Amino acid sequence: MREAVRRPRRFGGAVTPPGDRSISVRAAILNALAEGEARIANYGPGGDCASALSVLRGLGVPVESDGDGFVVAGGAIREPDDVLDAGNSGTVMRLASGLLASQPFLSVLTGDASLRSRPMGRVIAPLREMGADVRGRDGDRLAPLVIRGGALRGIRYRMPVASAQVKSAILLAGLSAEGETVIEQPAMSRDHTERAISAMGADIREEGLTLTLRPSRLRAVDVTVPGDLSSAAFWLVAAVCHPDAEARLLGVGMNPGRTGVLDALNAMGADIAVEHERVVSGEPVADLVARSSRLRATHIAGDLIPRVQDELPVLALAACFAEGETTIADAQELRVKETDRIHTTVGELRRLGADAHETPDGMRIAGGKALLGARANSHGDHRIAMMLGVAGLLAAGETEVEGAEAASVTYPGFWDDLRALAGDGERASARASVPER
């Protein structure tokens, strides 16, 4: 599918982003482990969230649709009679590995071609250390994964790289392990799992960057999923870079492990207001208002990287509109996402005329060079597809985004919301979708 996008005279309005993918997946998997039944409202609509439910159903977990969410009944996990498919979701693959490591049966976990090319060694290593038998392709590095679970023991594990997914897999396994499970993190990463299992009755404590979990039984807890900040980030960047814009993003999750994109944009001088702060289902939530801004270059690296990994492509786009040269470093993890996002982001921005260059662990972007509409390609990566859609709102002329359907992995309504924020009628920015030639 191809989308054609033009810069509107004015950009703005109010949008409620889709339910947070990370919280949705965790709420479903953790409640499947718990005692009782829970309703998950505003469950994420994307493919990753659907993959989580598919894996749970394959394990015999009762999951029923309920309006804008689902009801999950815990305590019914059984050996699957077929291969479990995590689709395109690294979150589902890694969290399900932690879940399955403690189950007394054999399971096989796979995904699409992209997911089968992404490294799984960092989640296999600690689960093996805990006593699970986990094997994979290419020297136990790639999916499909074959997992024979059973009795586990707690470990002290020093994570080589900050990763919420690996941390969550260890915590899921540690819930039923014998003895304490201690995780030492090198830097902060999103803490959705810790918040959720604490609310569900787990014996977990946090001291700085160290987590200590004792064996625990979870009780089911209803969850209302906040809006996804990673999805809202595309509209934040569109608004602060457009010369006449004001966009209001409603009900957005403000977990400290996720707000790195706001820190980065604020460092660039973005005019973003945080309003109506509250707590929903144990997670901080707020409304965000972004307005046209004069941006300056910044340096994104170090401990900030784990908190902005998903947003780095769209932050690179923002850098094109900042005065000076922005550098992104310590982001080599981007090379093993759905695409090599360093190479793909730089390549697609250069198609539009950006002054952008790859480095081994990031990129350099010199701002101030006007973007020009061109034919661009998502390469099947949802975040690249959405970044290019926003680029089309900011570039002169028409931008055609091939592979636009990739956005549906996390944000099925992305192109509809783009059209709504860009205006209707003569000011509409995107034509109806057309098949690729």
Side-chain angles (χ1 to χ4, degrees), residues 51 54 60 65-66 105 130 148 157 174 177 181 200 214 254 317 337 404-405:
S51 293
S54 174
S65 178
D66 179 22
F105 51 65
M130 297 176 80
R148 186 177 291 280
Y157 190 71
T181 297
M200 298 170 82
R214 294 179 182 274
M254 295 288 286
L317 172 63
K337 295 294 186 178
E405 70 280 359

Side-chain angles (χ1 to χ4, degrees), residues 53-333:
L53 299 184
S54 174
V55 166
L56 293 178
R57 287 177 172 130
L59 290 166
V61 177
V63 179
E64 300 295 335
S65 178
D66 179 22
D68 73 335
F70 293 87
V71 175
V72 177
I77 294 174
R78 58 166 173 76
E79 185 171 45
D81 56 13
D82 202 351
V83 173
L84 303 170
D85 188 353
N88 185 249
S89 178
T91 302
V92 174
M93 172 74 73
R94 295 183 178 98
L95 268 64
S97 297
L99 167 70
L100 295 168
S102 65
Q103 303 302 314
F105 51 65
L106 180 77
S107 51
V108 180
L109 189 58
T110 191
D112 67 9
S114 170
L115 186 55
R116 294 195 306 274
S117 70
R118 286 146 68 184
M120 295 295 153
R122 281 205 302 270
V123 75
I124 292 174
L127 294 178
R128 279 183 164 178
E129 192 174 334
M130 297 176 80
D133 183 0
V134 186
R135 302 175 186 272
R137 289 189 305 115
D138 193 31
D140 299 328
R141 196 179 69 87
L142 302 175
L145 303 182
V146 179
I147 303 171
R148 186 177 291 280
L152 302 179
R153 57 184 174 273
I155 59 171
R156 175 176 286 271
Y157 190 71
R158 179 173 294 177
M159 299 181 64
V161 176
S163 168
Q165 294 178 5
V166 174
K167 172 178 63 175
S168 296
I170 298 170
L171 290 173
L172 277 161
L175 287 167
S176 59
E178 180 181 355
E180 287 186 342
T181 297
V182 181
I183 302 173
E184 299 176 4
Q185 306 175 83
M188 180 182 180
S189 63
R190 60 189 66 173
D191 65 351
H192 302 309
T193 301
E194 299 95 295
R195 287 173 181 264
I197 63 175
S198 178
M200 298 170 82
D203 183 356
I204 184 171
R205 68 178 186 272
E206 180 179 354
E207 298 177 20
L209 293 173
T210 300
L211 300 170
T212 303
L213 174 67
R214 294 179 182 274
S216 304
R217 297 180 69 86
L218 303 183
R219 61 177 182 274
V221 172
D222 291 342
V223 177
T224 298
V225 179
D228 181 27
L229 179 55
S230 293
S231 297
F234 294 98
W235 310 133
L236 296 176
V237 168
V240 301
C241 294
H242 192 281
D244 185 7
E246 179 176 301
R248 183 176 294 270
L249 292 311
L250 306 177
V252 179
M254 295 288 286
N255 184 288
R258 302 288 296 279
T259 53
V261 64
L262 297 179
D263 295 341
L265 288 173
N266 287 334
M268 298 174 80
D271 181 357
I272 301 175
V274 180
E275 300 180 352
H276 193 202
E277 297 179 73
R278 64 265 195 201
V279 175
V280 178
S281 296
E283 289 278 351
V285 173
D287 301 333
L288 302 176
V289 182
R291 301 178 178 90
S292 303
S293 307
R294 183 171 180 176
L295 301 182
R296 56 182 177 269
T298 191
H299 179 62
I300 302 172
D303 290 350
L304 182 58
I305 292 295
R307 300 173 56 228
V308 295
Q309 283 226 355
D310 289 342
E311 296 82 29
L312 285 173
V314 79
L315 284 172
L317 172 63
C320 297
F321 295 84
E323 183 178 346
E325 183 177 86
T326 293
T327 56
I328 298 172
D330 305 318
Q332 54 268 28
E333 285 292 300

